[in-house]
Amino acid sequence: MSNISEDLKSGALVYHRMPRPGKLEIQATKPLGNQRDLALAYSPGVAAACEAIVADPLQAAELTTRANLVAVVSNGTAVLGLGNIGPLASKPVMEGKAVLFKKFAGIDVFDIELAATEIDHLVETVAALEPTFGGINLEDIKAPECFEVEKRLRERMKIPVFHDDQHGTAIIVGAAVRNALEIGNRKIEDLKIVASGAGAAAMACLNLLVTLGARRENIWVCDIEGVVYEGRETLMDPYKAVYAQKTDARTLGEVIDGAHIFLGVSAGGVLKPDMVARMADRPLILALANPTPEIMPEEARAVRPDAMICTGRSDFPNQVNNVLCFPYIFRGALDVGATDINAEMKMAAVEAIAALARETPSDVVARAYGGETRSFGPDSIIPSPFDPRLILRIAPAVAKAAMDTGVATRPIADFDAYLDKLDHFVFRSGFIMRPLFARAKQDKKRVIYAEGEDERVLRAAQAVVEEGIARPILVARPSVLETRLQRFGLSIRPGQDFDVVNPEDDPRYRDFVRSYIEIAGRRGVTPDAARTLVRTSSTVISALAVKKGEADAMLCGIEGRFSRHLRHVRDIIGLAPGVRELAALSLLITPKGNFFICDTQVQTEPTASDLAEMTILAAAHVRRFGIEPKVALLSHSNFGSNDTACARRMRGAYELLAERAPELEVDGEMQAEAALLPDIRERIYPHSRLSGVANVLVMPDLDAADIAYNMIKVLGDALPVGPILMGTARPAHILGPTVTARGIVNMTAVAVVEAQSEL
């Protein structure tokens, strides 16, 4: 069974169970608010749609969800890392695949788990689904049956059928090989390829490499029985027999000499360092077993520093992850009504992925990854799964290949408009936190949590350690920590995974008191008060730790009033140079897009100068997310339609921003409708400096900001991140009593990236 830790297992069960079982729901896309809506959606109006499809079956793409609906189908016979667990137990995996389709490419999915292990039964059942779906994604069906199932379904069905376990891995491997060839200035027909593993993924990879030009006589395959050789009878099938060699060699170690490429789709540790040492110069090692690769990258580099290494893991460069391609291949295929995903479409995906790795990282991507995005080279022959440009490169390439090969039933007439549509999807995909987590891992910082005994903080600390994004420091009593870690079933341990500041007995107590008096003595903090607060206020302790350089960032505010925490942060950490006042920025991740709102916590009625300052601070934070800020200064007035004091303040802020930050895309004053609907803004004021949908909404006062934030959060089914406290001398954030463990983890990443930016 799986080897995940007990705490991760516990967290995963809670994640799947709460607040409602599973990971998916069906949501109506049309209103059903009155009798006419009901008549249009169902009887009698629905008959018009039915009759139109009878007359022209292609109208189903215009009148139903079929053109954007994929079935993820499995019988649970080969679930990654779990084996033959059956269809019912495979359902969480298939729901997870459905979520990836939706989040990465906007494709709707029904997961279908079939109690069908016999090929004929499976083929007949899946083929009967064709009227419902625009595409079929076969998943976790064991080899060799999966080859026959896919072959027969592709012959029978007039919609794309794609076995991701085979072709998804193969496409990414193909892209890696293409770029490795370019770096090594080699030709694929000259290369010796050795594979460990002969399942669906391995066979598909080798078949695609042959399509790329590899010679069968140069390919050596090993499986659990050893070398696949001519005359072998044990564990053989027609698919691997194609690669049988006439040889007396029987083990991987006997065939690895001089290999240019090692393809591992087998088990951890099977490729030994001495084998790597005997490979050709500048070898490409694809060690794709998960969670333990066939050889760990550091072991391979120890004997072959010239090696190019890919794994299936996210903590090493060159991750071979199927999410790099399958959502976008289906996106392109569905968008042209493809009847198949043919070899040309797969090759188009290979070339698009390989080409993206060779591109210079865009400024948005570079900012999102801290300006340290790797350029094309041995450590960057595959794009990051988090690169937002993947859909913009792969989907159009696949769509065009479908059109060129005659399998597109709805060819795209305007590719520029199509690219604009995809670009808009990237903006609202909801994966805004991914770049921050990736960047945080590059240079972990010490984050101190004031309420270190709280269950949410402890669970967040566990996740932070597992993700590798920070070194937690908890303000907590050791005895309480011990009890609660055991009660919550968490595996992290003080001293090993995180550090502890004991407010009842810390050797730095006197030093902290002295520092506090020096910092805040002129702000009404007496020596007696300082001694008491350093014993009793975890926020004071945390702020002093950050001030003295014993932590890089702090999170507090889970207990108590925001204003009390804010006073301590302002007194101890202080304002950044040139900043006149603090402000708070809150992010809402919604199905309609990602929106930053300020000021949601601090300034009750900011002046025009205050508004300009908080806007400039907000823009800097937004850019850390890899997003170019588009700022709307909101009011009840639209570009001078009213002349109230509020409208004048927002107008004044715009004038100041034009002087202080002329490069910033900002406009106002304007109503929220004009900020979020470009067509309306164009009618009201066609000369606006703002283009597209605003993503930073600057409110005229605290009441407006708080009301808007909470209404969007509740009515828009939004995920909140923040508040992000802006303008402090060092990263310090006050979270609020309703924050979840997930929210604490997100804010940890925000704080770490902010701390990195200070260097």
PDB file of all heavy atoms in Angstrom, residues 198-221:
ATOM      1  N   ALA A 198       8.298  -2.153 -18.409  1.00  0.00           N
ATOM      2  CA  ALA A 198       7.697  -2.490 -19.702  1.00  0.00           C
ATOM      3  C   ALA A 198       6.182  -2.422 -19.632  1.00  0.00           C
ATOM      4  O   ALA A 198       5.479  -3.162 -20.314  1.00  0.00           O
ATOM      5  CB  ALA A 198       8.151  -3.879 -20.147  1.00  0.00           C
ATOM      6  N   GLY A 199       5.687  -1.527 -18.805  1.00  0.00           N
ATOM      7  CA  GLY A 199       4.251  -1.326 -18.704  1.00  0.00           C
ATOM      8  C   GLY A 199       3.749  -0.350 -19.746  1.00  0.00           C
ATOM      9  O   GLY A 199       4.441  -0.033 -20.728  1.00  0.00           O
ATOM     10  N   ALA A 200       2.533   0.171 -19.505  1.00  0.00           N
ATOM     11  CA  ALA A 200       1.891   1.040 -20.490  1.00  0.00           C
ATOM     12  C   ALA A 200       2.713   2.287 -20.777  1.00  0.00           C
ATOM     13  O   ALA A 200       2.914   2.660 -21.941  1.00  0.00           O
ATOM     14  CB  ALA A 200       0.494   1.428 -19.993  1.00  0.00           C
ATOM     15  N   ALA A 201       3.202   2.945 -19.716  1.00  0.00           N
ATOM     16  CA  ALA A 201       3.958   4.187 -19.909  1.00  0.00           C
ATOM     17  C   ALA A 201       5.257   3.919 -20.651  1.00  0.00           C
ATOM     18  O   ALA A 201       5.623   4.651 -21.573  1.00  0.00           O
ATOM     19  CB  ALA A 201       4.227   4.844 -18.564  1.00  0.00           C
ATOM     20  N   ALA A 202       5.974   2.878 -20.253  1.00  0.00           N
ATOM     21  CA  ALA A 202       7.257   2.583 -20.888  1.00  0.00           C
ATOM     22  C   ALA A 202       7.083   2.271 -22.370  1.00  0.00           C
ATOM     23  O   ALA A 202       7.829   2.778 -23.222  1.00  0.00           O
ATOM     24  CB  ALA A 202       7.930   1.411 -20.180  1.00  0.00           C
ATOM     25  N   MET A 203       6.101   1.427 -22.706  1.00  0.00           N
ATOM     26  CA  MET A 203       5.884   1.066 -24.098  1.00  0.00           C
ATOM     27  C   MET A 203       5.499   2.286 -24.937  1.00  0.00           C
ATOM     28  O   MET A 203       5.959   2.460 -26.065  1.00  0.00           O
ATOM     29  CB  MET A 203       4.810  -0.009 -24.205  1.00  0.00           C
ATOM     30  CG  MET A 203       5.213  -1.371 -23.655  1.00  0.00           C
ATOM     31  SD  MET A 203       6.607  -2.121 -24.544  1.00  0.00           S
ATOM     32  CE  MET A 203       7.978  -1.691 -23.458  1.00  0.00           C
ATOM     33  N   ALA A 204       4.649   3.141 -24.379  1.00  0.00           N
ATOM     34  CA  ALA A 204       4.242   4.338 -25.120  1.00  0.00           C
ATOM     35  C   ALA A 204       5.430   5.271 -25.329  1.00  0.00           C
ATOM     36  O   ALA A 204       5.580   5.869 -26.403  1.00  0.00           O
ATOM     37  CB  ALA A 204       3.119   5.059 -24.375  1.00  0.00           C
ATOM     38  N   CYS A 205       6.283   5.401 -24.310  1.00  0.00           N
ATOM     39  CA  CYS A 205       7.472   6.253 -24.440  1.00  0.00           C
ATOM     40  C   CYS A 205       8.377   5.733 -25.549  1.00  0.00           C
ATOM     41  O   CYS A 205       8.845   6.502 -26.399  1.00  0.00           O
ATOM     42  CB  CYS A 205       8.245   6.295 -23.121  1.00  0.00           C
ATOM     43  SG  CYS A 205       7.437   7.216 -21.795  1.00  0.00           S
ATOM     44  N   LEU A 206       8.634   4.434 -25.544  1.00  0.00           N
ATOM     45  CA  LEU A 206       9.518   3.865 -26.550  1.00  0.00           C
ATOM     46  C   LEU A 206       8.919   3.983 -27.949  1.00  0.00           C
ATOM     47  O   LEU A 206       9.633   4.301 -28.914  1.00  0.00           O
ATOM     48  CB  LEU A 206       9.809   2.403 -26.212  1.00  0.00           C
ATOM     49  CG  LEU A 206      10.595   2.176 -24.901  1.00  0.00           C
ATOM     50  CD1 LEU A 206      10.749   0.703 -24.613  1.00  0.00           C
ATOM     51  CD2 LEU A 206      11.955   2.866 -24.960  1.00  0.00           C
ATOM     52  N   ASN A 207       7.619   3.753 -28.066  1.00  0.00           N
ATOM     53  CA  ASN A 207       6.970   3.889 -29.375  1.00  0.00           C
ATOM     54  C   ASN A 207       7.082   5.315 -29.898  1.00  0.00           C
ATOM     55  O   ASN A 207       7.306   5.547 -31.086  1.00  0.00           O
ATOM     56  CB  ASN A 207       5.503   3.472 -29.283  1.00  0.00           C
ATOM     57  CG  ASN A 207       5.336   1.986 -29.024  1.00  0.00           C
ATOM     58  OD1 ASN A 207       6.258   1.196 -29.251  1.00  0.00           O
ATOM     59  ND2 ASN A 207       4.166   1.587 -28.541  1.00  0.00           N
ATOM     60  N   LEU A 208       6.923   6.287 -29.000  1.00  0.00           N
ATOM     61  CA  LEU A 208       7.024   7.676 -29.444  1.00  0.00           C
ATOM     62  C   LEU A 208       8.462   8.019 -29.815  1.00  0.00           C
ATOM     63  O   LEU A 208       8.703   8.754 -30.779  1.00  0.00           O
ATOM     64  CB  LEU A 208       6.507   8.611 -28.358  1.00  0.00           C
ATOM     65  CG  LEU A 208       6.353  10.072 -28.787  1.00  0.00           C
ATOM     66  CD1 LEU A 208       5.095  10.687 -28.176  1.00  0.00           C
ATOM     67  CD2 LEU A 208       7.565  10.907 -28.406  1.00  0.00           C
ATOM     68  N   LEU A 209       9.430   7.493 -29.083  1.00  0.00           N
ATOM     69  CA  LEU A 209      10.826   7.745 -29.422  1.00  0.00           C
ATOM     70  C   LEU A 209      11.167   7.150 -30.777  1.00  0.00           C
ATOM     71  O   LEU A 209      11.960   7.727 -31.544  1.00  0.00           O
ATOM     72  CB  LEU A 209      11.746   7.190 -28.338  1.00  0.00           C
ATOM     73  CG  LEU A 209      11.657   7.881 -26.967  1.00  0.00           C
ATOM     74  CD1 LEU A 209      12.630   7.250 -25.982  1.00  0.00           C
ATOM     75  CD2 LEU A 209      11.925   9.380 -27.091  1.00  0.00           C
ATOM     76  N   VAL A 210      10.573   6.011 -31.095  1.00  0.00           N
ATOM     77  CA  VAL A 210      10.750   5.443 -32.439  1.00  0.00           C
ATOM     78  C   VAL A 210      10.160   6.384 -33.479  1.00  0.00           C
ATOM     79  O   VAL A 210      10.744   6.614 -34.545  1.00  0.00           O
ATOM     80  CB  VAL A 210      10.114   4.036 -32.517  1.00  0.00           C
ATOM     81  CG1 VAL A 210      10.056   3.547 -33.967  1.00  0.00           C
ATOM     82  CG2 VAL A 210      10.895   3.053 -31.660  1.00  0.00           C
ATOM     83  N   THR A 211       8.998   6.955 -33.174  1.00  0.00           N
ATOM     84  CA  THR A 211       8.395   7.939 -34.090  1.00  0.00           C
ATOM     85  C   THR A 211       9.320   9.136 -34.283  1.00  0.00           C
ATOM     86  O   THR A 211       9.415   9.697 -35.378  1.00  0.00           O
ATOM     87  CB  THR A 211       7.030   8.415 -33.536  1.00  0.00           C
ATOM     88  OG1 THR A 211       6.170   7.289 -33.373  1.00  0.00           O
ATOM     89  CG2 THR A 211       6.385   9.417 -34.473  1.00  0.00           C
ATOM     90  N   LEU A 212      10.035   9.503 -33.215  1.00  0.00           N
ATOM     91  CA  LEU A 212      10.981  10.611 -33.302  1.00  0.00           C
ATOM     92  C   LEU A 212      12.241  10.247 -34.078  1.00  0.00           C
ATOM     93  O   LEU A 212      13.039  11.132 -34.421  1.00  0.00           O
ATOM     94  CB  LEU A 212      11.374  11.079 -31.898  1.00  0.00           C
ATOM     95  CG  LEU A 212      10.347  11.920 -31.133  1.00  0.00           C
ATOM     96  CD1 LEU A 212      10.770  12.102 -29.683  1.00  0.00           C
ATOM     97  CD2 LEU A 212      10.179  13.287 -31.801  1.00  0.00           C
ATOM     98  N   GLY A 213      12.449   8.952 -34.332  1.00  0.00           N
ATOM     99  CA  GLY A 213      13.602   8.542 -35.129  1.00  0.00           C
ATOM    100  C   GLY A 213      14.514   7.529 -34.485  1.00  0.00           C
ATOM    101  O   GLY A 213      15.515   7.110 -35.091  1.00  0.00           O
ATOM    102  N   ALA A 214      14.230   7.120 -33.245  1.00  0.00           N
ATOM    103  CA  ALA A 214      15.069   6.109 -32.599  1.00  0.00           C
ATOM    104  C   ALA A 214      14.941   4.775 -33.334  1.00  0.00           C
ATOM    105  O   ALA A 214      13.885   4.451 -33.887  1.00  0.00           O
ATOM    106  CB  ALA A 214      14.660   5.945 -31.139  1.00  0.00           C
ATOM    107  N   ARG A 215      16.027   4.007 -33.346  1.00  0.00           N
ATOM    108  CA  ARG A 215      16.023   2.726 -34.016  1.00  0.00           C
ATOM    109  C   ARG A 215      15.706   1.614 -33.029  1.00  0.00           C
ATOM    110  O   ARG A 215      16.271   1.561 -31.932  1.00  0.00           O
ATOM    111  CB  ARG A 215      17.392   2.475 -34.654  1.00  0.00           C
ATOM    112  CG  ARG A 215      17.711   3.438 -35.786  1.00  0.00           C
ATOM    113  CD  ARG A 215      19.097   3.205 -36.342  1.00  0.00           C
ATOM    114  NE  ARG A 215      19.359   4.078 -37.490  1.00  0.00           N
ATOM    115  CZ  ARG A 215      20.556   4.230 -38.046  1.00  0.00           C
ATOM    116  NH1 ARG A 215      21.597   3.587 -37.560  1.00  0.00           N
ATOM    117  NH2 ARG A 215      20.706   5.045 -39.072  1.00  0.00           N
ATOM    118  N   ARG A 216      14.832   0.721 -33.438  1.00  0.00           N
ATOM    119  CA  ARG A 216      14.441  -0.376 -32.553  1.00  0.00           C
ATOM    120  C   ARG A 216      15.645  -1.204 -32.120  1.00  0.00           C
ATOM    121  O   ARG A 216      15.709  -1.676 -30.985  1.00  0.00           O
ATOM    122  CB  ARG A 216      13.412  -1.271 -33.246  1.00  0.00           C
ATOM    123  CG  ARG A 216      12.054  -0.614 -33.454  1.00  0.00           C
ATOM    124  CD  ARG A 216      11.058  -1.596 -34.046  1.00  0.00           C
ATOM    125  NE  ARG A 216       9.816  -0.920 -34.410  1.00  0.00           N
ATOM    126  CZ  ARG A 216       8.815  -0.718 -33.578  1.00  0.00           C
ATOM    127  NH1 ARG A 216       8.900  -1.130 -32.341  1.00  0.00           N
ATOM    128  NH2 ARG A 216       7.720  -0.104 -33.995  1.00  0.00           N
ATOM    129  N   GLU A 217      16.608  -1.397 -33.026  1.00  0.00           N
ATOM    130  CA  GLU A 217      17.759  -2.221 -32.666  1.00  0.00           C
ATOM    131  C   GLU A 217      18.643  -1.570 -31.604  1.00  0.00           C
ATOM    132  O   GLU A 217      19.506  -2.228 -31.011  1.00  0.00           O
ATOM    133  CB  GLU A 217      18.591  -2.548 -33.918  1.00  0.00           C
ATOM    134  CG  GLU A 217      19.102  -1.331 -34.659  1.00  0.00           C
ATOM    135  CD  GLU A 217      18.193  -0.887 -35.793  1.00  0.00           C
ATOM    136  OE1 GLU A 217      16.955  -1.114 -35.689  1.00  0.00           O
ATOM    137  OE2 GLU A 217      18.706  -0.317 -36.768  1.00  0.00           O
ATOM    138  N   ASN A 218      18.435  -0.259 -31.355  1.00  0.00           N
ATOM    139  CA  ASN A 218      19.204   0.452 -30.334  1.00  0.00           C
ATOM    140  C   ASN A 218      18.472   0.545 -28.998  1.00  0.00           C
ATOM    141  O   ASN A 218      18.946   1.214 -28.082  1.00  0.00           O
ATOM    142  CB  ASN A 218      19.539   1.868 -30.807  1.00  0.00           C
ATOM    143  CG  ASN A 218      20.520   1.887 -31.963  1.00  0.00           C
ATOM    144  OD1 ASN A 218      21.210   0.891 -32.192  1.00  0.00           O
ATOM    145  ND2 ASN A 218      20.582   3.003 -32.680  1.00  0.00           N
ATOM    146  N   ILE A 219      17.315  -0.086 -28.892  1.00  0.00           N
ATOM    147  CA  ILE A 219      16.492   0.008 -27.691  1.00  0.00           C
ATOM    148  C   ILE A 219      16.532  -1.313 -26.939  1.00  0.00           C
ATOM    149  O   ILE A 219      16.239  -2.383 -27.504  1.00  0.00           O
ATOM    150  CB  ILE A 219      15.039   0.377 -28.052  1.00  0.00           C
ATOM    151  CG1 ILE A 219      14.994   1.771 -28.707  1.00  0.00           C
ATOM    152  CG2 ILE A 219      14.155   0.347 -26.809  1.00  0.00           C
ATOM    153  CD1 ILE A 219      13.631   2.161 -29.235  1.00  0.00           C
ATOM    154  N   TRP A 220      16.874  -1.239 -25.665  1.00  0.00           N
ATOM    155  CA  TRP A 220      16.971  -2.405 -24.787  1.00  0.00           C
ATOM    156  C   TRP A 220      15.980  -2.236 -23.647  1.00  0.00           C
ATOM    157  O   TRP A 220      15.975  -1.209 -22.973  1.00  0.00           O
ATOM    158  CB  TRP A 220      18.395  -2.534 -24.238  1.00  0.00           C
ATOM    159  CG  TRP A 220      19.415  -2.721 -25.313  1.00  0.00           C
ATOM    160  CD1 TRP A 220      19.886  -1.768 -26.176  1.00  0.00           C
ATOM    161  CD2 TRP A 220      20.067  -3.937 -25.667  1.00  0.00           C
ATOM    162  NE1 TRP A 220      20.789  -2.305 -27.052  1.00  0.00           N
ATOM    163  CE2 TRP A 220      20.933  -3.648 -26.758  1.00  0.00           C
ATOM    164  CE3 TRP A 220      20.024  -5.238 -25.177  1.00  0.00           C
ATOM    165  CZ2 TRP A 220      21.736  -4.614 -27.352  1.00  0.00           C
ATOM    166  CZ3 TRP A 220      20.827  -6.204 -25.769  1.00  0.00           C
ATOM    167  CH2 TRP A 220      21.662  -5.900 -26.835  1.00  0.00           C
ATOM    168  N   VAL A 221      15.154  -3.247 -23.438  1.00  0.00           N
ATOM    169  CA  VAL A 221      14.092  -3.167 -22.437  1.00  0.00           C
ATOM    170  C   VAL A 221      14.322  -4.211 -21.349  1.00  0.00           C
ATOM    171  O   VAL A 221      14.627  -5.371 -21.644  1.00  0.00           O
ATOM    172  CB  VAL A 221      12.704  -3.382 -23.082  1.00  0.00           C
ATOM    173  CG1 VAL A 221      11.605  -3.349 -22.033  1.00  0.00           C
ATOM    174  CG2 VAL A 221      12.448  -2.319 -24.151  1.00  0.00           C
TER     175      VAL A 221
END
